[in-house]
Amino acid sequence: MTFQPVVRRSVSEDVYDQIAARVVSGDLPVGGSLPSERDLAAALGVSRPAVREALKRLDGSGLVHIRQGDATTVRDIRREGGLDLLPLLLVAGGQLDLSVARSVIEARAQIAPIVAGLAAERIADADVQPLRTSVDEIATVTDPLQLQVLALQFWDQIVDGAQSVVYRLMFNSLRSAYEPALPALSMAMAGEVGKVDAYRDLVDAVAAHDPDAARRAADDLLTPSTTELLRVFDSVDETQGGHDGH
């Protein structure tokens, strides 16, 4: 029998999640004012310090704008938000937002070859063997979900090799958005994460410090699953009546 660890959440986290969900869904319109701290605390049944802490997080995430002595207003997250909002946008109201998922997959397909090329230029020789070890581990696994977890670990090492703080932060945000959707995407991704030879080609290119070959290998690795996922998203969109405009 497997037990899951109990996650203790603070009241302010729950307040943050509830307000954030309403901003993302549009229930709280851009430019609109939030109730006062006192009114929010009363409506939510929590203390004012908990509300104040949640509002500071919402302000830091680009969801609201706090003006001292004035009302707290909802920001236009499409123009002012950061990558840290991707997890909220990807799974909104408990459902996968296909337009956001499409954006994540497209960004992944564009960025990964660039990062692979940088890793080929900059990786230390001592850091190549851990990449080979990761691929060897991938070769021993057949479960689609576990393969995706190992693939994320592999790409984490590639990003380290690229030695770019910007791409590291971008990868962190994309991974945070992507991980909650792993179970839903596991079958569509199976063709990629099980391509052991393609991973080995990428590692060989990185080890040879050949950026062009690394970019081609990364593109070859990701293209089939990218194409399949976009096909699936388009198919679901047609079933649901078209794109939602994100």
Side-chain angles (χ1 to χ4, degrees), residues 16 19-24 28-32 34 53-66 72-86 88-89:
Y16 172 91
I19 297 175
R22 296 191 64 184
V23 172
V24 168
L28 293 172
V30 173
L34 267 62
E53 183 178 344
L55 290 176
K56 287 180 180 178
R57 282 190 60 202
L58 290 161
D59 184 46
S61 297
L63 290 165
V64 304
H65 179 54
I66 298 175
T72 297
T73 55
V74 177
R75 288 179 170 176
D76 184 348
I77 60 175
R78 301 286 169 180
R79 295 184 178 276
E80 301 181 61
L83 282 173
D84 56 323
L85 295 182
L86 271 177
L88 285 172
L89 293 169

Side-chain angles (χ1 to χ4, degrees), residues 36-48 51:
S36 66
E37 282 185 10
R38 177 181 300 166
D39 290 343
L40 278 172
L44 295 167
V46 300
S47 67
R48 288 185 66 179
V51 170

Side-chain angles (χ1 to χ4, degrees), residues 121-145:
E121 292 178 6
R122 301 172 178 175
I123 196 168
D125 290 339
D127 293 330
V128 172
Q129 185 53 47
L131 283 172
R132 297 195 189 280
T133 301
S134 290
V135 176
D136 289 341
E137 188 174 2
I138 288 172
T140 67
V141 175
T142 57
D143 177 70
L145 185 55

Side-chain angles (χ1 to χ4, degrees), residues 78-165:
R78 301 286 169 180
R79 295 184 178 276
E80 301 181 61
L83 282 173
D84 56 323
L85 295 182
L86 271 177
L88 285 172
L89 293 169
L90 183 63
V91 183
Q95 293 187 333
L96 185 69
D97 186 316
L98 293 181
S99 67
V100 178
R102 183 183 291 106
S103 296
V104 170
I105 295 301
E106 289 171 344
R108 172 180 175 270
Q110 295 294 320
I111 293 170
I114 297 172
V115 173
L118 288 175
E121 292 178 6
R122 301 172 178 175
I123 196 168
D125 290 339
D127 293 330
V128 172
Q129 185 53 47
L131 283 172
R132 297 195 189 280
T133 301
S134 290
V135 176
D136 289 341
E137 188 174 2
I138 288 172
T140 67
V141 175
T142 57
D143 177 70
L145 185 55
Q146 183 60 25
L147 277 170
Q148 286 192 85
V149 173
L150 293 175
L152 282 174
Q153 294 173 0
F154 171 85
W155 281 104
D156 189 79
Q157 293 172 303
I158 292 288
V159 174
D160 278 345
Q163 299 180 31
S164 167
V165 65

